[in-house]
Amino acid sequence: MHSLIIVSNRLPVKVKETIEKSSGGLVSALEGLGDQYDLQWIGWAGGVVDDQQKRQEITTELKERFNFTPIFLSQEDVDDYYTGFSNSSLWPLLHYMPCNARYEDKWFQKYREINQLFADKILEQAEPDDIIWVQDYHLMLLPAMLRKVKPDMTIGFFLHTPFPSYEIFRCLPNREELLEGLLGADLIGFHTFGYLRHFRSTVLRILGIESEIAYIPVEHHRCAIDVFPIGINTQGFQNFIDSPAFSRRLKALRKIYAGKKIILSVERLDYTKGIPHRLEAIDRFLEKTGRKDVIFLFISVPSRQTVPEYRELRQEVELKVSQINGKHSTIGQVPVHFLFRPVLPEELCALYVLADAAVVTPLMDGMNLVAKEYIFCQQEKSGVLILSEFAGAAQELPYASIVNPYNVRQIADAIQQALEDSEEEKKRRLEPMKKRVAKYNAQFWAKSFLKTLTSKDEKETPIETLVLTQKALAPLQDASRPALFIDYDGTLAEITNLPENAAPSGEVEQLLFSLASQDQFEVYIIAGRRRQEMDRWFSKFRLNLIAEHGYCYKEKGSGRWVVLVPDADLSWKDQLREYLNLFTAMTPGSFLEEKTASLVWHYRNSDPEFGEWKARQLVSELQEMLSNLPVEIHHGKKNVTIVSIHANKGSTIYHLLASNQYDKALCAGDDETDESMFRLSDNAIIGVKIGDKEETEAEFRCSSPKAFRALLNKLLSRPKNTAPLKKTEVFTVNRSNQS
Ligand code: GDG
């Protein structure tokens, strides 16, 4: 049986004189998996234990009783990692509250240090086939830390908070490192599609990584992304409802609140929960209706009282409560009952059952389990759920009375309406929500996340084209006149933000020297670049060059560029230039590049989404405008190229194959302009597409320029007529960048 290692900031235990396991959605969700996995849990045991002997005792007891492994934190760790970066920097930003966010460098350093402490503990414990499931925002760096040491580890991450829009996330000074940390996971789960959408857009804008809807390609693996709305511990709640303690408490509460309508609020006292706005709405409701039979009961659980914003909130709320009570109380009737403490679970269930309505109006909330718990507990009557549209739960509970938590008038009206709705109406709205909450519970959530995580290998096979193997290379080695036609940008060298930064250097330069100094293959470097640029970059290598997408070529040793169709009509360039300049003006960061036989509109440095939108618009308009002209339009990688039909890589290679009588040719390229090479219906051609994503007519694929360079180096290191490459050698180069 594999181990499932859950990793969260806190272990679900209370360590006092004795150690007690605490219940909660996550614990019960995972307990349901006990028959499939050997469950382990790693996390902070809470508090600060400095005494080594005490630490040892706690460790032994937690291991023996629950299979838990504690992480011990010093007071400084707690201050900087937990109270500091996690709860004073990340939490407010993840909840769209930059005004509450504070940041100190030392907090982040400690956050990194503690994430590493968790990583070390996991690595010490995990066996090769174990599954690691990291929970929440305290441990965002952990997946990449694990991946770095164990590239094949199965790592899941679930974010319990919202993931905010890029405009908010970008406020974090360490945004790149946090995103890279998360992308170490095989699967990242979110509560809603909105959070997933924001994550993709943030990864694109901050790391420049384009993603698919279901995954983000990272250098050595794919990070799948998906939506798993968490549910509640339905069985746990049912057990409480069936218990004698619950019945006793319900009976007592009914007596206390006889003749009253109860409107319930339950939450940690947190500024994300919208408590001041709700109190404002209650004030307005009482003023408007003058009702004396309604009690607003707040269960407000103390939370993070070491963070100044939470202490200030408590003061603000207590002041507001006393103002409302001072204003609206009569002898024997106080409208707001505010409990700044938790209640026992049986009592909580009794309150859910008793309450005529629950007001759950967070300003922002990843999911909000209270909303679902209230719905589940409506077994005797049909209570009304008033629910913020900014809670993740609103997506699943559309029959609730959905409100904008900032709109106090709307909340006040919703409370009034809840008290006036007929039983039929309330039942009609409640029933479908009850079904959903009962079915998609916490166990369902955990199982579906793990199912997706463990089936990742099956999902990762979108590539239909063959991976380059010895079969593809053998004919090249055996040919009497083999040639290599190798595109430069995106094939031999990585794409750079500024085209001028892609000049050959380092590994690329070395390979060009190796290609130039061998005589087994005739080598052509093909680019969309201008002749002058190619001369500048490549003249030091003895290589054949093809410039401007095949418009002209220059054989090695010759000082002369040859144009295949010298009298091609290029007058269309004058018609188009102005039009393309207009797009450049409209799209900040874009620019127009002019070559002899083409015009290229680049938008690599524009806003990625805006640039893409404008490019598509341009392509569609050009297709109509240019249908009668001798040009082709290519939507390449961050550029739109309008090129003479005579500047065509395929035609030039066709010409060179015939005139030089090459009997085998490897044609490698990465973008749409290279497809003309792959389309050549000639048996001599071995087409290789660099990159996994776009469709291609090439027969083979290689995942990246780096992998392709490694492959070429291997090819060059095999002298002619030796045994062909072993399958595994070539295969490894490709797999390492795909899996
Ligand atoms: C985070 C995300 C996401 C509350 N008072 C008492 C009590 N509770 C229990 C409730 C509920 C839980 O605490 C609160 O869960 P929420 O989901 O409402 O909120 P967060 O604590 O902020 O949780 C949130 C969640 O993670 C899960 O992914 O939904 O968006 O912020 O279960 O019942 N329990 C008892 N006494 C109380 O007085 N026994």
Side-chain angles (χ1 to χ4, degrees):
M1 195 186 269
H2 295 321
S3 281
L4 169 62
I5 305 182
I6 304 296
V7 190
S8 62
N9 169 57
R10 277 296 306 269
L11 283 176
V13 285
K14 285 193 195 102
V15 180
K16 291 188 180 152
E17 289 308 302
T18 55
I19 297 182
E20 278 171 51
K21 192 166 169 186
S22 35
S23 60
L26 199 53
V27 182
S28 51
L30 300 167
E31 274 169 355
L33 300 163
D35 51 343
Q36 289 172 45
Y37 300 98
D38 169 29
L39 286 175
Q40 301 180 36
W41 200 313
I42 296 177
W44 174 34
V48 175
V49 181
D50 288 325
D51 181 65
Q52 284 305 323
Q53 197 193 329
K54 185 80 189 147
R55 283 188 177 192
Q56 193 50 54
E57 283 166 20
I58 294 173
T59 306
T60 310
E61 186 173 347
L62 285 174
K63 190 79 202 162
E64 281 172 3
R65 284 181 56 198
F66 311 117
N67 211 8
F68 290 174
T69 304
I71 300 275
F72 292 101
L73 302 181
S74 69
Q75 190 56 53
E76 191 190 348
D77 295 341
V78 176
D79 291 346
D80 293 353
Y81 147 77
Y82 178 70
T83 307
F85 191 71
S86 299
N87 286 333
S88 304
S89 305
L90 269 179
W91 175 268
L93 283 178
L94 293 171
H95 289 85
Y96 288 80
M97 300 193 175
C99 296
N100 283 345
R102 285 173 295 114
Y103 175 81
E104 287 189 30
D105 274 334
K106 67 168 184 167
W107 292 352
F108 185 72
Q109 280 159 24
K110 188 58 89 179
Y111 181 85
R112 194 195 279 132
E113 206 180 288
I114 300 302
N115 272 245
Q116 190 62 57
L117 186 71
F118 274 77
D120 295 343
K121 187 59 85 185
I122 297 164
L123 292 166
E124 199 181 291
Q125 238 167 262
E127 300 289 334
D129 286 334
D130 289 355
I131 294 160
I132 316 295
W133 189 5
V134 183
Q135 308 289 329
D136 229 357
Y137 64 101
H138 314 86
L139 299 170
M140 283 182 166
L141 301 177
L142 187 50
M145 287 173 169
L146 295 172
R147 175 81 51 214
K148 195 169 162 205
V149 182
K150 294 244 171 106
D152 295 330
M153 207 172 216
T154 301
I155 308 165
F157 183 95
F158 190 83
L159 184 68
H160 290 262
T161 66
F163 193 92
S165 103
Y166 156 73
E167 297 297 349
I168 294 286
F169 195 81
R170 72 195 294 204
C171 300
L172 281 163
N174 324 87
R175 54 209 183 175
E176 291 88 356
E177 194 174 337
L178 289 163
L179 292 175
E180 282 161 359
L182 287 170
L183 291 179
D186 291 295
L187 170 65
I188 304 177
F190 301 92
H191 284 309
T192 72
F193 180 67
Y195 308 155
L196 179 150
R197 200 162 46 80
H198 289 313
F199 182 69
R200 283 185 65 200
S201 149
T202 304
V203 166
L204 171 65
R205 285 156 186 281
I206 292 179
L207 299 182
I209 304 178
E210 294 201 32
S211 55
E212 298 297 321
I213 197 143
Y215 70 89
I216 298 179
V218 197
E219 201 181 344
H220 294 296
H221 74 291
R222 275 181 186 179
C223 174
I225 42 181
D226 212 334
V227 175
F228 305 92
I230 198 169
I232 62 163
N233 176 11
T234 43
Q235 191 53 54
F237 274 88
Q238 194 56 53
N239 292 345
F240 285 128
I241 290 177
D242 294 339
S243 71
F246 162 85
S247 308
R248 278 196 301 275
R249 206 50 211 141
L250 183 60
K251 200 169 160 201
L253 286 167
R254 282 202 165 124
K255 212 164 157 194
I256 297 168
Y257 291 120
K260 304 288 185 198
K261 295 283 178 194
I262 304 296
I263 313 285
L264 181 67
S265 291
V266 179
E267 62 237 321
R268 286 182 303 100
L269 189 82
D270 193 300
Y271 50 75
T272 60
K273 302 290 182 184
I275 303 169
H277 295 75
R278 199 182 312 144
L279 287 167
E280 197 74 33
I282 290 169
D283 192 5
R284 192 182 266 253
F285 163 85
L286 290 169
E287 223 159 62
K288 185 178 166 202
T289 63
R291 281 183 77 147
K292 299 291 176 214
D293 60 338
V294 184
I295 304 282
F296 292 91
L297 182 53
F298 280 75
I299 307 298
S300 207
V301 181
S303 177
R304 303 174 193 171
Q305 286 295 299
T306 49
V307 178
E309 287 76 16
Y310 286 74
R311 290 198 300 271
E312 285 159 22
L313 176 70
R314 180 185 174 184
Q315 284 175 2
E316 183 189 349
V317 166
E318 287 179 343
L319 180 66
K320 189 82 200 149
V321 167
S322 55
Q323 282 172 346
I324 295 174
N325 282 339
K327 194 163 145 193
H328 299 286
S329 292
T330 50
I331 305 291
Q333 160 71 12
V334 179
V336 181
H337 293 194
F338 182 79
L339 275 68
F340 184 54
R341 61 170 173 81
V343 295
L344 290 172
E346 295 82 355
E347 175 143 61
L348 181 67
C349 288
L351 289 169
Y352 283 150
V353 170
L354 183 77
D356 297 278
V359 197
V360 181
T361 53
L363 303 178
M364 189 53 68
D365 213 335
M367 172 55 70
N368 195 297
L369 295 177
V370 169
K372 292 187 173 182
E373 290 164 3
Y374 178 71
I375 293 290
F376 182 77
C377 291
Q378 299 312 293
Q379 301 186 358
E380 292 180 11
K381 58 158 205 343
S382 301
V384 176
L385 173 66
I386 298 171
L387 178 60
S388 160
E389 63 182 274
F390 297 113
Q395 312 255 317
E396 288 179 85
L397 305 174
Y399 300 104
S401 172
I402 303 286
V403 294
N404 173 351
Y406 293 90
N407 187 343
V408 293
R409 183 189 41 75
Q410 195 188 16
I411 302 175
D413 290 349
I415 295 171
Q416 187 177 357
Q417 189 62 47
L419 294 169
E420 289 168 6
D421 272 349
S422 69
E423 281 310 308
E424 289 89 331
E425 171 63 6
K426 289 193 281 187
K427 193 167 169 18
R428 188 185 65 77
R429 294 171 71 159
L430 186 70
E431 286 311 315
M433 297 198 283
K434 263 169 73 177
K435 280 199 189 110
R436 181 166 177 105
V437 169
K439 188 166 174 198
Y440 299 109
N441 59 14
Q443 283 80 1
F444 178 89
W445 168 79
K447 282 191 176 150
S448 52
F449 182 92
L450 287 167
K451 188 158 177 268
T452 310
L453 176 62
T454 50
S455 62
K456 70 187 161 72
D457 291 337
E458 291 154 36
K459 287 174 69 183
E460 278 182 14
T461 47
I463 305 152
E464 285 161 23
T465 322
L466 299 170
V467 173
L468 208 53
T469 63
Q470 87 185 67
K471 272 196 187 150
L473 293 167
L476 202 60
Q477 295 245 320
D478 296 342
S480 53
R481 284 185 64 74
L484 311 179
F485 292 94
I486 307 171
D487 167 57
Y488 185 71
D489 295 284
T491 299
L492 204 59
E494 279 78 7
I495 301 269
T496 56
N497 270 358
L498 291 173
E500 58 270 27
N501 289 349
S505 66
E507 217 185 289
V508 176
E509 194 176 27
Q510 279 295 322
L511 178 57
L512 286 166
F513 275 123
S514 307
L515 287 166
S517 59
Q518 55 79 45
D519 56 8
Q520 196 183 342
F521 308 102
E522 197 63 38
V523 182
Y524 290 79
I525 301 298
I526 319 175
R529 291 176 182 262
R530 280 186 289 252
R531 286 171 257 197
Q532 300 84 329
E533 213 169 5
M534 295 211 60
D535 278 334
R536 205 167 60 242
W537 283 7
F538 300 110
S539 56
K540 62 180 167 184
F541 313 104
R542 231 182 100 73
L543 293 167
N544 304 295
L545 304 178
I546 302 176
E548 293 201 30
H549 302 108
Y551 181 67
C552 50
Y553 67 92
K554 182 171 165 181
E555 299 210 334
K556 67 184 175 201
S558 146
R560 206 168 56 88
W561 283 95
V562 177
V563 176
L564 270 181
V565 186
D567 50 359
D569 173 13
L570 301 175
S571 59
W572 50 268
K573 277 172 58 187
D574 298 330
Q575 298 175 36
L576 268 189
R577 203 173 290 107
E578 265 318 291
Y579 181 71
L580 289 168
N581 279 335
L582 205 66
F583 268 78
T584 307
M586 283 190 304
T587 317
S590 69
F591 64 94
L592 184 64
E593 184 187 14
E594 181 156 354
K595 301 175 189 175
T596 317
S598 59
L599 290 169
V600 187
W601 184 71
H602 295 268
Y603 61 97
R604 177 161 296 278
N605 297 323
S606 308
D607 177 289
E609 282 161 282
F610 184 62
E612 196 58 39
W613 175 43
K614 283 284 146 196
R616 284 187 190 169
Q617 189 183 351
L618 175 62
V619 169
S620 120
E621 289 178 15
L622 287 175
Q623 272 161 349
E624 283 200 11
M625 281 167 67
L626 306 181
S627 53
N628 294 324
L629 293 175
V631 293
E632 283 177 4
I633 303 156
H634 299 289
H635 190 169
K637 287 192 180 149
K638 303 284 179 192
N639 70 62
V640 175
T641 301
I642 303 101
V643 58
S644 161
I645 51 166
H646 303 296
N648 177 297
K649 291 182 182 180
S651 323
T652 307
I653 290 175
Y654 184 74
H655 165 79
L656 291 168
L657 283 177
S659 56
N660 293 297
Q661 297 181 342
Y662 299 128
D663 56 345
K664 236 0 159 192
L666 178 78
C667 294
D670 71 308
D671 77 9
E672 213 202 300
T673 61
D674 299 305
E675 291 296 316
S676 61
M677 308 194 285
F678 307 144
R679 276 196 289 270
L680 286 174
S681 52
D682 190 314
N683 288 339
I685 301 289
I686 301 167
V688 179
K689 161 88 175 176
I690 310 301
D692 288 342
K693 281 204 234 152
E694 298 97 350
E695 298 208 337
T696 183
E697 292 188 42
E699 201 181 345
F700 299 97
R701 273 190 202 266
C702 188
S703 57
S704 67
K706 190 174 168 60
F708 184 61
R709 288 196 298 269
L711 178 69
L712 284 179
N713 276 319
K714 286 199 176 194
L715 186 68
L716 296 180
S717 67
R718 302 261 153 179
K720 195 172 164 72
N721 296 331
T722 57
L725 294 175
K726 280 190 208 136
K727 189 172 183 176
T728 47
E729 286 178 72
V730 182
F731 191 70
T732 318
V733 172
N734 291 289
R735 284 300 301 168
S736 67
N737 283 278
Q738 283 168 359
S739 57

